[in-house]
Amino acid sequence: MSAKNIPLGLAFGMAAGAFWGLVFVVPDVANHFGPLQLSAGRYLAYGVFALALLAPHWRRIAPALGRAEWIALAWLSLLGNILYYVLLASAVQLGGVAMTSLVIGFLPVTVTIIGSRSKGAVPLPKLMPSLVLSMAGIACIAWESLGRAGSASFLTQVSGFACAVGALISWTGFAVGNSRWLARLDGFSGHDWSLLIGVMTGAQALLLIPPALLLEGVSQGRHEWLTFAGLCTGIALFSSIIGNGLWNRMSRLLPLTMVGQMILFETLFALLYGFLWEQRWPTMFEGLAIMLVAASVLSCLAAHRPREGSEHLLADH
């Protein structure tokens, strides 16, 4: 992997984080709807958009899709979209945002550690400064959240923690598996792959409709449903179609150890949008966390900067 790809990959990662961060304000705006309904609505819209964009290119793409590719699309869609969101929403409801943020915040760490075991990857000791900075940033965010958290029963907390760990495992599996599949695609682009995941996720979202309507009801008014449709369409287009396309482009430019660090941009932009939505400035711990996260990414970039004549050490995953 050429070193000149790193700045471009970084730009794609930042842009993907900016679009993904939009998802965090939607539950506040559409607070009359539950997580199953929001998930079903978002991913159904995602599937429709993806199908429309993919249809003109189907004759070119279809020959490259074998049994292995369809199986990969099914489990990546489940891990990275459906299962992850349901587990995350359950963790928030059972254990609160503070505990969930603490667990899910380790995504960059888990992905980076797994990536460091890949052939040609930057050795883990060189990544330790970046990992320490990212964990310190996560600790600041968690400390701030814990100060606002309410009490809950021990069993409820344990159940919420289990769901959060499940979500962590789910998205780690997606990030690693998707990056490695993108590295060996033949016959179509990363954008095509993202659209294929969208179509598969839309098909899986159909299965969410019965439990979403049964468990979360249909008592909302016409205005709420119109708002719901608009928000689901918006995040499907900007977060799922555009955001995922940018992420896949980034994944083909950066090694897997850096892919893990790029997830931190989602947190940064989610914080920014949250501050704008709540019309306030960050607290001391939130400001410190933002600086630590930025330092973590810069440290990771420094670890991947090749020495003169040793560009080949940065293997493409």
Side-chain angles (χ1 to χ4, degrees):
M1 175 178 291
S2 173
K4 67 182 180 181
N5 287 335
I6 290 181
L8 184 59
L10 178 61
F12 282 125
M14 291 178 65
F19 283 115
W20 281 354
L22 293 171
V23 175
F24 287 80
V25 300
V26 170
D28 251 358
V29 178
N31 54 17
H32 296 294
F33 296 88
L36 286 176
Q37 292 173 332
L38 287 169
S39 180
R42 172 190 175 181
Y43 291 129
L44 280 173
Y46 178 24
V48 171
F49 277 124
L51 185 60
L53 292 170
L54 196 63
H57 310 287
W58 181 247
R59 289 187 177 179
R60 171 178 58 83
I61 295 171
L65 292 172
R67 183 171 179 270
E69 284 76 16
W70 282 115
I71 292 175
L73 286 168
W75 70 260
L76 286 172
S77 298
L78 184 64
L79 285 179
N81 292 322
I82 302 295
L83 181 61
Y84 170 73
Y85 190 86
V86 171
L87 287 170
L88 179 62
S90 299
V92 170
Q93 291 178 347
L94 293 170
V97 176
M99 181 278 298
T100 306
S101 298
L102 176 61
V103 176
I104 301 301
F106 279 95
L107 272 170
V109 179
T110 56
V111 174
T112 299
I113 290 174
I114 292 175
S116 69
R117 298 174 62 86
S118 300
K119 183 180 178 181
V122 174
L124 187 58
K126 288 192 67 176
L127 297 170
M128 285 307 297
S130 177
L131 293 176
V132 170
L133 287 166
S134 67
M135 286 188 286
I138 292 164
C140 286
I141 296 171
W143 181 269
E144 178 69 22
S145 299
L146 284 169
R148 304 173 183 173
S151 59
S153 70
F154 177 75
L155 182 59
T156 301
Q157 285 284 2
V158 169
S159 300
F161 180 78
C163 289
V165 171
L168 174 67
I169 295 171
S170 180
W171 218 93
T172 299
F174 168 78
V176 174
N178 190 51
S179 182
R180 289 175 175 167
W181 265 97
L182 284 167
R184 62 174 184 255
L185 290 182
D186 187 22
F188 46 89
S189 67
H191 181 61
D192 295 329
W193 184 253
S194 178
L195 294 178
L196 285 165
I197 288 179
V199 172
M200 180 64 73
T201 303
Q204 292 176 351
L206 290 171
L207 301 176
L208 283 182
I209 295 178
L213 296 179
L214 181 65
L215 299 176
E216 296 175 350
V218 290
S219 59
Q220 298 85 354
R222 181 173 177 271
H223 175 73
E224 284 81 9
W225 279 107
L226 287 174
T227 301
F228 170 81
L231 288 170
C232 287
T233 301
I235 61 173
L237 175 60
F238 291 105
S239 298
S240 296
I241 295 293
I242 299 176
N244 288 1
L246 290 166
W247 178 267
N248 283 339
R249 179 62 177 148
M250 176 215 66
S251 295
R252 302 189 82 170
L253 292 171
L254 301 181
L256 185 55
T257 46
M258 285 193 73
V259 169
Q261 297 297 318
M262 295 303 102
I263 300 170
L264 291 171
F265 282 116
E266 180 185 18
T267 302
L268 286 175
F269 280 103
L271 284 169
L272 173 62
Y273 299 149
F275 298 147
L276 292 173
W277 177 252
E278 296 175 5
Q279 297 182 359
R280 67 177 179 89
W281 291 96
T283 65
M284 181 183 69
F285 279 106
E286 288 168 340
L288 181 58
I290 291 171
M291 289 188 289
L292 286 168
V293 167
S296 172
V297 174
L298 292 174
S299 175
C300 189
L301 288 173
H304 283 84
R305 187 177 298 119
R307 298 185 301 273
E308 186 176 354
S310 61
E311 229 176 64
H312 66 280
L313 293 178
L314 296 182
D316 190 353
H317 302 286

